[in-house]
């Protein structure tokens, strides 16, 4: 029930005259094809169209009211529309009249008795402007959408007069001159901001006279006031002045827009053509069908997502849909395998298994059916047990009749079906890489039947790809299954070890090694032939790390059972296997040297005296000007030491004593203050300080004297430590008790030091031509006794008193005290004589060579070395438990050392005569015992495992 209609507003006077006018106006609108709003609302009141029509006609019509300024606002006040937002109310009132009376051509037809303009320039445009009587298609331009939006918001609602002929720029420039009384202030519009007044500098003299005012004001622009002397052309602020001095803007580059054509923008061109067709049909009076609100085929509903779409297509029986599903599933499983899970899409795994089982129909005359009912039908040849798996699947495959297929030419139907099977197998293979999918698929028994079927297909190139997919699936699923020796899947995997395909052998070994890994049951790996074990042991000799790793993983599982160790002991090459496993303990080892300190460094004590400069170094320093000369002298005689200091007076006196002799009027010494500053400049860590106390002490902190001077190139001079007896003093009580004095001469090179000792101290003469020293002993008696006074050396003093050293022996002995600059300095330094207590000694280190192998992120052993150590440990632990002796095999055991596996020096009775595991322990591990100890000593990651292995070997009698 509709709500009761309230009382009508009193603003409309519903007289018979009003009703007749509205009926006539409605009929005219219907004839015109426009819409009439009988009671339009302006603000909060409804407008009486008859009253509005009479008021506008009384003022001369729509054009006259629109030309007059503020006429629509005054007319709105007569209708009591309110006082809030008058411009918007006035424009709405104007629009009401325009749409219902003027725009419908009612006023033009009945008042002006003229033919109204077409509605394209009346009904389809806004109420802005006037001059409706003279509006035609040629002289009227339809306004844009932006102008229509502004008018709809109430902007410029009072524009009237000559607004039709004015441009927007002219309206904005309608500004009165400053100070004039005109303007449009009375309209209540927002005023334009005042014109910016340019700064006019005062060009008169800035000097202030005595008659000027005391206030120095900056020149101010004079406001324009209405006066007789005012000239707008001379005022730079006036509009006429601006127009007179107007300069056009520089030309801007045109912005070119490409023409829309079918080649550069076909979509937009098509849309524009459709708009033109609709416009032409509307003008011709034809009705254009509209589909607004109607859901066309293929629109309005996106359908299921790609995951559901592929699932539905896969379960359908339509070949094209299945091709679509498998094509997209391959891409999804490869790119989004971590998000695509079987449990989220029920039926996906079953659908993929159904597809891969179709491979049998390509090579055999069979079509498998999976049954989940225990009604006796599972015993049929073509029916697979979907509950527990088909235990006799291998027998059924052997009973099938193989189709005649050519591997060199395939039919189109065969290729299409095989491609579907391969894609389905690839999808399963990709998805089981996710742990959740592998666990889900392992609970479906038909997947085990498929792996058996795929691995036992006829040997043809066409099925190689599917076999590898099946092996990859088995590698991920066998860890959830406990396979017995008679299980068809276990037998199928073992059969792959006898093939020649490396990839199939590698994946089959991994799958066998992972059997029951995630279960509590142990993988005993029984039923493996001796030939297969022999092949696996031989593959460890290959330079194929991936295959060797798979073989060692298998051997680690295999040797954990005592019965399997007895099978390995039957191989003639058991000794070679042990040698290979020991060799793999250092596979990929990297040599690392680690040094440990055995003797700490001995720091050279500080020198007590400032060293003297040798003559050759002094000649170099005298070539420099101050302050460079003092800086080089400081670097030559001092070194930085943050803990040491020297008094400023001692440093200054040493500088004076060294260079005072060479002072000339052109080369003067630095003043004391400048010299102290130069010390801080030369050594960044040195600074002048004052020590307060009873007596102030001025020091330089951060430097100490060198033991030997250093030349500008950084080479250190060598000090002569030869001890010469000083002349006896007159106060000495004991005759002959002379005090020895050090020579103290500095030389740069060891050869110069040797020549200095031979010439100055030993007094050995040179050859007549002066080219070499004559070290041959004279045939006559020696005129000089040769002895060594280098520091504390007592070499000749400890010799026999009957032997007198020759000049050659003395000269060669002196070379032992000289510094060694050869590459073997560190080796010779261990045996050289000491050069005195004040020599710096570097720390001594002991090097240890490590052969470390691969480790994991926690630093534990990993890779081939770890697996080899574990296999050796399993063999050593189970050898004492074996029931066969080392001499009961009836074959020669190849160990690579000795004859018949015996260690060198071992008799036959000692090596093979012992019963049980003791004989095997000595036979297998005695030849490699030293290598095991070497690995334990040099391989830190394997040290713990090798300690366990050697302990087991020792306990077993090895």
């Amino acid at each position: 029930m509709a709500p009761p209609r309230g009382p009508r507003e009193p603003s409309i006077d519903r007289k018979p005259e009003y009703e007749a006018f509205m009926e006539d106006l409605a009929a005219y609108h219907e004839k015109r094809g426009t819409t009439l709003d009988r009671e339009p609302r302006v603000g909060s009141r409804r407008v009486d169209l008859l009253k509005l029509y009479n008021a506008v006609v009384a003022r001369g019509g729509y054009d006259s009211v629109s030309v007059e300024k503020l006429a629509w606002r005054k007319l709105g006040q007569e209708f009591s529309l309110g006082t809030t937002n008058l411009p918007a109310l006035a424009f709405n009132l104007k629009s009401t009249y325009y749409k219902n009376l003027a725009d419908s051509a009612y006023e033009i037809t009945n008042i002006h008795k003229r033919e109204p303009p077409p509605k394209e320039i009346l009904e389809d445009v806004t109420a802005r402007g006037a001059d409706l009587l003279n509006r035609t298609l040629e002289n009227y331009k339809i306004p844009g959408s932006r102008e229509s939006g502004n008018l709809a918001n109430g902007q410029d609602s009072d524009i009237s007069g000559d607004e039709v002929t004015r441009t927007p720029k002219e309206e904005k420039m309608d500004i009165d001159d400053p100070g004039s009384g005109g303007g449009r202030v009375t309209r209540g519009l927002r005023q334009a901001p005042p014109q910016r007044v340019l700064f006019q500098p005062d060009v008169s003299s800035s000097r202030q006279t005595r008659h000027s005012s005391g206030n120095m004001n900056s020149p101010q622009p004079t406001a324009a006031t209405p006066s007789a002397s005012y000239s707008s052309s001379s005022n730079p602020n006036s509009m006429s002045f601006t127009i007179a001095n107007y300069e056009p803007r520089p030309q801007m580059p045109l912005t070119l827009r490409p023409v829309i054509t079918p080649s550069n923008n076909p979509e937009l061109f098509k849309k524009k053509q459709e708009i033109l067709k609709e416009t032409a049909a509307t003008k011709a009076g034809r009705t254009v069908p509209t589909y607004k609100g109607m859901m066309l085929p293929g629109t309005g509903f996106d359908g299921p997502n790609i995951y559901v779409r592929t699932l539905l297509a896969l379960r359908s029986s339509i070949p094209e849909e299945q091709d679509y599903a498998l094509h997209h599933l391959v891409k999804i499983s490869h790119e989004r395998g971590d998000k695509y899970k079987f449990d989220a899409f029920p039926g996906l795994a079953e659908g993929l298994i159904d597809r891969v089982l179709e491979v049998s129909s390509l090579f055999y005359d069979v079509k498998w059916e999976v049954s989940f009912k225990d009604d006796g039908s599972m015993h049929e040849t073509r029916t697979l047990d979907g509950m527990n798996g088909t235990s006799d699947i291998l027998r059924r495959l052997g009973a099938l009749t193989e189709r005649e297929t050519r591997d060199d030419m395939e039919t189109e139907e065969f290729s299409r079906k095989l491609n579907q099977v391969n894609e389905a197998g690839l999808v399963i293979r990709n998805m089981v890489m996710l742990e959740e999918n592998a666990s889900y698929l392992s609970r479906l028994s038909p997947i085990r039947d498929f792996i058996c079927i795929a691995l036992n297909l006829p040997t043809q190139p066409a099925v190689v790809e599917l076999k590898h997919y099946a092996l990859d699936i088995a590698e991920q699923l066998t860890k959830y299954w406990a396979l017995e020796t008679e299980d068809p899947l276990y037998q199928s995997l073992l059969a792959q070890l006898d093939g020649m395909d490396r990839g199939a052998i590698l994946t089959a070994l991994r799958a066998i090694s992972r059997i029951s890994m995630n279960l509590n049951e142990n993988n005993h790996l029984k039923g493996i032939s001796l030939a297969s074990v022999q092949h696996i042991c031989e593959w460890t000799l290959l330079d194929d790390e991936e295959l060797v790793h798979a073989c060692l993983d298998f051997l680690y599982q295999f040797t954990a059972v005592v019965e399997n160790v007895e099978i390995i002991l039957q191989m003639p090459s058991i000794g070679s296997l042990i040698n290979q496993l020991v060799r793999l303990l250092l596979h990929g080892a990297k040599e690392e040297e680690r040094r440990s300190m055995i003797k700490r460094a001995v720091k050279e004590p500080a020198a007590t005296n400032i060293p003297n400069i040798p003559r050759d170094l002094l000649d170099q320093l005298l070539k420099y000007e101050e302050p460079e000369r003092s800086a080089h002298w400081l670097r030559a005689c001092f070194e930085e030491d943050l803990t040491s200091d020297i008094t400023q007076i001692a440093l200054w006196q040493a500088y004076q004593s060294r260079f005072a002799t060479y002072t000339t009027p052109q080369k003067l010494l630095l003043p004391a203050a400048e010299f102290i500053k130069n010390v801080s400049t030369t050594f960044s860590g040195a600074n002048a300080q004052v020590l307060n106390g009873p007596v102030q002490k001025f020091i330089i902190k951060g430097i100490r004297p060198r033991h030997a001077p250093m030349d500008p190139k950084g080479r250190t001079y060598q000090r002569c430590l030869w001890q010469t007896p000083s002349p006896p003093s007159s106060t000495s009580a004991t005759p002959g008790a002379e005090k020895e004095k050090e020579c103290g001469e500095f030389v740069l090179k060891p050869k110069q030091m040797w020549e200095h000792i031979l010439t100055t101290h030993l007094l050995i003469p040179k050859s007549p031509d002066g080219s070499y020293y004559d070290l041959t002993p004279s045939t006559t008696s020696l005129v000089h006794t040769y002895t060594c006074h280098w520091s504390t050396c007592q070499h000749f003093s400890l010799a026999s008193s009957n032997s007198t050293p020759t000049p050659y022996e003395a000269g060669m002995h002196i070379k032992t005290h000289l510094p060694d600059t050869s590459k073997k300095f560190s080796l010779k330094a261990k045996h050289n004589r000491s050069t005195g207590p004040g020599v710096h000694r570097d720390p001594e280190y002991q090097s240890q060579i490590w052969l470390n192998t691969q480790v994991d992120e926690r630093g534990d052993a990993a890779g081939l070395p770890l697996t080899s150590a574990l296999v050796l440990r399993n063999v050593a632990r189970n050898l004492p438990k074996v029931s066969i002796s080392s001499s009961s095999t009836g074959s020669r055991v190849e160990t690579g050392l000795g004859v018949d596996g015996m260690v060198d020096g071992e008799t036959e009775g000692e090596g093979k005569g012992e019963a049980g595991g003791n004989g095997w322990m000595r036979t297998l591990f005695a030849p490699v015992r030293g290598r095991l100890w070497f690995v334990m000593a040099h391989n830190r990651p394997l040290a713990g495992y090798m300690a366990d292995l050697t302990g087991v070997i020792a306990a077993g009698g090895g």
Side-chain angles (χ1 to χ4, degrees):
M1 181 176 179
R5 180 177 298 179
R8 295 184 179 273
E9 297 185 14
S11 57
I12 299 178
D13 189 4
R14 305 182 181 278
K15 296 181 180 181
E17 181 183 1
Y18 172 81
E19 299 295 341
F21 173 78
M22 294 303 298
E23 293 297 332
D24 185 32
L25 183 60
Y28 193 90
H29 271 279
E30 183 177 359
K31 179 181 177 181
R32 180 70 172 175
T34 56
T35 303
L36 171 65
D37 187 2
R38 290 179 173 270
E39 297 180 3
R41 181 181 293 274
V42 177
S44 60
R45 298 177 61 84
R46 296 189 180 274
V47 178
D48 188 342
L49 292 181
L50 176 59
K51 183 178 178 181
L52 178 61
Y53 177 74
N54 294 332
V56 175
V57 171
R59 286 174 170 79
Y62 177 84
D63 288 346
S64 300
V65 177
S66 298
V67 171
E68 183 182 352
K69 294 182 179 181
L70 305 180
W72 287 105
R73 185 180 300 184
K74 297 176 182 178
L75 192 60
Q77 294 177 356
E78 295 180 3
F79 280 79
S80 303
L81 299 180
T83 59
T84 304
N85 198 3
L86 290 178
L89 295 175
F91 179 77
N92 291 337
L93 181 62
K94 178 182 179 182
S95 300
T96 299
Y97 186 89
Y98 181 82
K99 292 292 183 183
N100 296 283
L101 298 170
D103 190 13
S104 64
Y106 186 80
E107 175 192 333
I108 300 175
T109 303
N110 295 303
I111 301 302
H112 302 286
K113 307 300 181 180
R114 297 174 62 176
E115 183 67 22
K119 67 175 185 177
E120 285 80 7
I121 58 177
L122 288 181
E123 283 83 349
D124 297 341
V125 297
T126 62
R128 180 171 180 175
D131 199 14
L132 299 182
L133 296 177
N134 299 324
R135 182 177 297 182
T136 62
L137 291 173
E138 290 76 12
N139 64 9
Y140 183 78
K141 183 179 179 181
I142 300 177
S145 59
R146 182 176 180 181
E147 180 182 3
S148 304
N150 293 338
L151 294 174
N153 294 328
Q155 299 179 11
D156 298 329
S157 59
D158 287 342
I159 297 177
S160 58
D162 58 346
E163 60 183 354
V164 177
T165 60
R166 270 180 150 179
T167 64
K169 183 177 291 187
E170 290 173 346
E171 295 174 8
K172 293 180 180 179
M173 292 176 62
D174 189 9
I175 302 173
D176 296 327
D177 294 338
S180 63
R184 303 167 65 181
V185 180
T186 57
R187 296 182 58 185
L189 300 178
R190 188 178 65 180
Q191 296 299 307
Q195 290 293 322
R196 180 176 297 176
V197 180
L198 301 177
F199 173 72
Q200 299 294 332
D202 188 5
V203 298
S204 61
S205 175
S206 59
R207 183 177 179 181
Q208 183 179 4
T209 63
R210 66 179 66 181
H211 302 289
S212 60
S213 174
N215 299 326
M216 294 296 293
N217 298 326
S218 61
Q220 299 292 334
T222 305
T225 57
S227 61
S229 60
Y230 173 79
S231 175
S232 61
S233 61
S234 62
N235 185 7
N237 302 323
S238 66
M239 184 60 62
S240 60
F241 181 84
T242 304
I243 295 175
N245 294 274
Y246 168 77
E247 292 183 2
R249 294 182 178 179
Q251 295 184 356
M252 301 297 292
L254 297 178
T255 303
L256 301 180
R257 297 181 180 178
V259 179
I260 304 301
T261 62
S263 61
N264 60 13
N265 199 337
E267 295 294 334
L268 184 58
F269 182 81
K270 180 180 179 181
K271 186 176 181 180
K272 284 196 170 186
Q273 291 298 321
E274 292 177 355
I275 295 175
L276 292 177
K277 290 180 180 179
E278 293 178 1
T279 304
T282 304
K283 290 183 179 180
R286 297 192 304 269
T287 304
V288 180
T290 59
Y291 302 100
K292 185 176 182 181
M294 182 184 301
M295 182 179 294
L296 298 177
T299 62
F301 178 65
D302 296 335
N305 56 37
I306 187 62
Y307 304 109
V308 179
R309 173 75 172 83
T310 53
L311 175 60
L312 298 178
L314 180 66
R315 300 304 299 268
S316 69
S317 300
I318 305 174
E320 292 77 8
E321 288 294 320
Q322 291 178 349
D323 291 340
Y324 169 86
L326 292 173
H327 172 75
H328 285 81
L329 283 174
V330 169
K331 186 176 182 180
I332 293 172
S333 63
H334 175 66
E335 297 178 354
R336 300 299 304 273
D338 57 334
K339 302 295 183 182
Y340 204 41
K341 301 180 181 179
F342 284 129
D343 55 359
F345 300 93
L348 177 60
E350 292 80 356
L352 292 172
I353 294 175
D354 292 341
R355 297 286 78 75
V356 294
L357 287 176
E358 294 178 357
V359 68
S360 298
S361 62
L362 298 178
F363 300 94
Y364 302 101
D365 188 12
V366 65
K367 184 177 182 181
W368 300 111
E369 294 181 2
V370 181
S371 176
F372 296 91
K373 299 179 180 179
D374 190 8
D375 53 358
S377 60
M378 296 182 181
H379 299 287
E380 298 179 1
T381 304
R382 302 175 183 271
T383 304
L384 301 178
D385 188 355
M387 297 294 296
N388 304 311
T390 308
S391 58
D392 58 344
I393 185 65
L394 297 181
R395 182 189 61 79
R396 298 187 186 187
L397 289 174
L400 296 176
T401 302
E402 185 176 348
R403 293 178 183 269
E404 293 184 2
T405 57
R406 298 179 57 182
D407 57 354
D408 58 343
M409 183 177 297
E410 299 175 352
T411 62
E412 182 180 358
E413 182 66 17
F414 181 90
S415 178
R416 187 187 66 81
K417 289 185 177 180
L418 183 60
N419 185 59
Q420 279 192 352
V421 172
N422 288 335
E423 287 184 343
L426 178 58
V427 172
I428 298 176
R429 181 259 181 197
N430 290 341
M431 295 189 66
V432 296
M433 296 301 170
L434 190 64
E435 196 68 25
E436 293 87 342
N437 289 336
S439 176
Y440 179 90
L441 199 63
S442 65
R443 297 191 293 268
L444 301 180
S445 297
I447 192 63
R448 298 174 61 172
D449 295 337
F450 157 70
I451 297 175
C452 294
I453 293 172
L455 296 182
N456 291 276
L457 288 174
T459 306
Q460 293 187 12
V463 300
V464 172
E465 181 181 356
L466 185 62
K467 281 187 176 181
H468 282 281
Y469 292 157
L471 288 171
D472 289 341
I473 296 171
E475 180 184 352
Q476 302 298 324
L477 300 184
T478 52
K479 55 188 174 183
Y480 299 101
W481 296 330
L483 303 181
E484 300 296 334
T485 307
E486 298 79 11
D487 193 287
L489 177 57
Y490 184 71
Q491 295 295 330
S492 300
L493 291 174
L494 291 180
Q496 302 301 313
L497 302 180
D498 299 329
M500 301 298 293
D501 189 342
R502 173 193 173 276
I505 295 173
L506 178 63
T507 313
L509 283 173
R510 290 174 176 172
I512 295 172
S513 302
R514 295 187 179 189
I515 293 176
S516 67
M517 181 183 293
N518 289 9
L519 304 178
N520 294 328
E521 301 180 15
N522 294 326
N523 183 16
H524 295 287
L525 296 180
K526 295 183 178 180
I528 303 178
S529 63
L530 178 61
S532 298
V533 177
Q534 179 75 23
H535 290 159
I536 294 173
C537 294
E538 292 173 353
W539 290 334
T540 59
L541 300 173
L542 299 176
D543 188 15
D544 188 342
E545 184 174 348
E546 192 175 12
L547 180 59
V548 172
H549 201 292
C551 294
L552 291 180
D553 286 341
F554 172 84
L555 291 175
Y556 172 67
Q557 298 281 344
F558 189 75
T559 55
V561 181
V562 178
E563 293 79 2
N564 295 338
V565 175
E566 293 180 352
I567 296 176
I568 292 181
L569 294 178
Q570 299 176 16
M571 298 188 309
S573 59
I574 178 62
S576 300
L577 174 63
I578 299 299
N579 286 330
Q580 175 64 7
L581 293 176
V582 174
R583 186 183 68 85
L584 291 176
L585 292 175
L586 294 178
H587 174 78
K590 296 182 180 180
E591 183 176 333
E592 300 179 9
E593 181 180 1
R594 297 191 178 184
R595 303 172 61 192
S596 57
M597 184 184 299
I598 58 177
K599 288 185 179 181
R600 295 182 177 275
V602 177
K603 186 178 180 181
E604 185 178 18
T608 56
N609 299 320
I610 301 176
N612 294 324
I613 297 180
R615 185 64 197 180
D616 57 341
L617 179 58
L618 180 60
D619 294 339
Q620 297 182 43
L621 297 180
L622 292 177
K623 297 178 182 180
Y624 295 100
E625 300 289 340
E626 293 292 353
E628 286 79 8
R629 182 177 65 179
S630 60
H632 283 289
W633 177 76
L634 289 170
R635 295 192 190 98
C637 299
F638 297 89
E639 60 183 352
E640 288 194 73
D641 186 2
L642 299 179
T643 60
S644 302
D645 60 78
I646 186 173
T647 60
Q648 297 181 15
I649 186 62
L651 188 62
W652 167 249
Q653 289 177 353
Y655 168 69
Q656 274 189 323
S657 62
R658 172 52 58 189
F659 297 104
T661 310
Y662 308 98
T663 302
T664 62
Q666 291 76 22
K667 278 191 175 183
L668 298 177
L669 297 179
L670 285 177
E674 295 296 331
F675 175 75
I676 298 302
K677 291 181 180 178
N678 197 28
V679 175
S680 301
T681 305
T682 305
F683 300 102
S684 58
N687 53 78
Q689 297 182 3
V690 178
L691 299 181
N692 296 322
V695 179
Q696 283 188 341
K697 189 177 181 181
F698 297 87
I699 64 171
I700 299 293
K701 184 74 173 179
I703 62 173
R704 70 173 186 178
R706 294 180 181 272
H707 287 274
M710 183 180 66
D711 70 345
K713 295 183 179 180
R715 297 175 298 181
T716 305
Y717 282 79
Q718 303 298 323
R719 185 186 185 95
C720 181
L721 302 181
W722 196 272
Q723 304 291 329
T724 59
S726 59
S729 59
S730 58
T731 59
S732 178
T734 305
E738 297 88 358
K739 184 179 181 182
E740 294 184 347
K741 179 182 179 183
E742 189 177 275
C743 173
E745 186 70 22
F746 291 100
V747 294
L748 187 60
K749 298 179 181 180
K751 182 180 179 181
Q752 297 174 352
M753 177 67 72
W754 187 66
E755 293 177 351
H756 163 72
I757 295 175
L758 294 184
T759 303
T760 307
H761 302 299
L762 294 180
L763 303 178
I764 296 178
K766 283 189 175 184
S767 61
D769 57 356
S771 59
Y772 62 92
Y773 288 92
D774 187 8
L775 300 181
T776 58
S778 176
T779 56
T780 60
S781 60
L782 296 176
V783 298
H784 183 74
T785 302
Y786 300 104
T787 183
C788 181
H789 295 282
W790 183 275
S791 186
T792 58
C793 180
Q794 300 179 2
H795 176 70
F796 294 113
S797 301
L798 299 176
S800 175
S801 58
N802 298 328
S803 61
T804 303
T806 64
Y808 177 80
E809 293 175 346
M812 294 301 102
H813 167 74
I814 295 301
K815 290 185 177 182
T816 62
H817 298 300
L818 302 181
D820 190 359
T821 57
S822 64
K823 296 182 179 179
K824 297 183 179 181
F825 165 71
S826 58
L827 181 62
K828 296 178 181 179
K830 299 179 180 180
H831 310 287
N832 275 359
R833 299 176 182 274
S834 174
T835 56
V839 177
H840 172 76
R841 187 181 69 191
D842 294 330
E844 295 184 13
Y845 297 92
Q846 183 180 9
S847 297
Q848 174 70 28
I849 303 299
W850 295 95
L851 298 174
N852 294 330
T853 52
Q854 182 180 356
V855 295
D856 57 11
E857 62 276 0
R858 297 178 300 179
D860 297 335
L864 295 180
L866 173 62
T867 317
S868 301
L870 296 178
V871 174
L872 290 172
R873 190 177 64 179
N874 283 349
V875 173
R877 285 177 176 177
N878 292 324
L879 279 180
K881 304 175 184 178
V882 298
S883 58
I884 59 175
S885 65
S886 60
S887 60
S888 63
T889 58
S891 60
R892 296 167 59 90
V893 179
E894 300 175 1
T895 61
L897 296 176
V899 181
D900 292 336
M902 294 185 298
V903 188
D904 295 339
E906 183 182 76
T907 63
E908 184 177 356
E910 293 174 337
K912 291 189 177 181
E914 300 181 23
N918 291 336
W920 281 115
M921 193 73 74
R922 287 185 55 82
T923 301
L924 298 180
F925 290 101
V928 297
R929 187 186 302 118
R931 295 162 61 187
L932 296 178
W933 289 342
F934 178 84
V935 174
M936 181 172 61
H938 293 83
N939 193 323
R940 295 174 67 91
L942 290 179
Y945 297 96
M946 301 311 299
D948 294 342
L949 175 60
T950 54
V952 172
I953 295 173

